[in-house]
Amino acid sequence: MEIRTRFAPSPTGYMHLGGLRSALYNYLFAKKNGGKFLLRIEDTDQSRFVEGATEVIYSTLRNVGIVWDEGPDIGGDFGPYVQSERKDSYLPHALQLVESGKAYPCFCKKEELDARRAECEARGEIFKYDKHCLHLSKEEAKRKMESGEPYVIRLNVPEKGEASFDDVIYGHIAVDCADLDDMVLIKADGMPTYNFANVVDDHAMRITHVMRGNEFLSSTPKFNLLYDAFGWDKPVYVHLTNIMRDERHKLSKRDGDAYFEDYIKKGYLKEAILNYVALLGWNPGDEREFFTLEELVQAFSIEGLSKSQAIFDVNKLTWMNAEYIRMLSQEDFTAHALPYYKDAGIDHMDKSILQKILQPRIETFVQIPELVDFLTAIPEYELELFTNKKSKTDAEVSKAVLDMVLPLLESLPAWEETALHDALINLAAEKGMKNGTILWPVRIALAGKAVTPGGAIEIALLLGREEALRRLYIGRERLAAQ
Ligand code: GLU
């Protein structure tokens, strides 16, 4: 039997990391087993329609390389793959159940039911529809339907027994039918309820395995009554454990850290996010942590899914991101860094030097502007910075060094690495000084900061001749004036 999995998002406008994880696991499982991965858009609740939301789903999945074999844009044998475009298929299914006595039309007025529900809830009881319309005769029901009286179609839930299913992660899940309401399958406007459409489509699209968030765990026994009513085979259910911010709190949109987009904006690489998300609730059974998508396909198995909830550790993601940044080629690093260079106002500076000094240091790209702020404007700095034991410098030595360095650098025919390097290092040799004794004051005068990415020569090159010399002069003047 061909394995067929699906990702069935409701378009909300964002991609929650939990959603991305569901998509990924479904994709990996299908690909690992030579099956098909489908994308289905669950948009029956048109009141929650968000402009552009489907685009976010497409672009996020494409961005991370999760490619669907059947879906809204490419079609397939079981399309359309957008529920609102399938709306005519649900009513006939519901009528089929009415015909076989497994469902029935209900003409009770919404306002009356709402009032009864409110009364019930006020008494602290759970409202359950009393099957009033189940007892209408077939003829009576038919007459009402034909006369245009508004109705919904409800499932006739057995009054006794239990509804249950076996989940791969959570085991046997059962609920007492006596606790279940006769759920609505088709609403008064003819549209299916979310649950009904979900089940009808999973069957119609020949889905064999459903992996999704555990928020559906408790309603799945109820959905399964539908499979029984139709006499359909049920898919294998794998409900995934929650992704938590800490022991007690779910990763939530309120904290600004639940969406894929949040991390892209914070300068994380999509490969690192995907890799980290893969490990939230799954492990390969060995110590490996770094996986390309292709490697995940090879390594994935349902047995590797965890039964305990996953804690989202942003420090771990950040560490992983830093490792991914180190692995980038020079060109890729620069391509990723460019928007941040622009932000920092340094995009006119030498990209290969920037890459050399930043790639080993940053954990996320957003750190760039702060790290290089001294390149665009020299900070106000204390003259104490010139004092450094290891380099054997203090204010006096620094002033003497800058006195020697300035004419030397001014007379350089070309402002380039070897020339700057030779000038400064030869000077140290000539004067019998440590290299650091020359380089420290130069770097402090150039950067106005004790800690900088890059050394004196790199900074001088980035600043360019004019600005570098200007800063060295200022340093010398300030030292002379104290
Ligand atoms: N449409 C549901 C959601 O976006 C997913 C339902 C399912 O996977 O069965 O949460």
Side-chain angles (χ1 to χ4, degrees), residues 99-146:
E99 203 53 44
S100 62
K102 303 278 172 50
Y104 59 94
C106 169
F107 303 90
C108 292
K109 302 252 174 327
K110 185 177 177 305
E111 303 74 49
E112 279 168 29
L113 292 178
D114 284 349
R116 268 155 61 193
R117 177 175 292 111
E119 271 170 39
C120 243
E121 283 168 3
R123 288 198 302 274
E125 291 166 17
I126 295 172
F127 175 75
K128 220 183 116 179
Y129 179 63
D130 61 3
K131 291 185 186 278
H132 175 268
C133 291
L134 176 65
H135 307 299
L136 293 175
S137 70
K138 267 217 159 108
E139 297 68 44
E140 174 75 353
K142 203 159 175 227
R143 192 189 54 72
K144 279 170 168 287
M145 280 162 97
E146 278 167 8

Side-chain angles (χ1 to χ4, degrees), residues 328-337 355 359:
L328 291 174
S329 68
Q330 287 186 21
E331 296 71 40
D332 285 348
F333 178 86
T334 299
H336 280 289
Q355 175 266 330
Q359 190 166 9

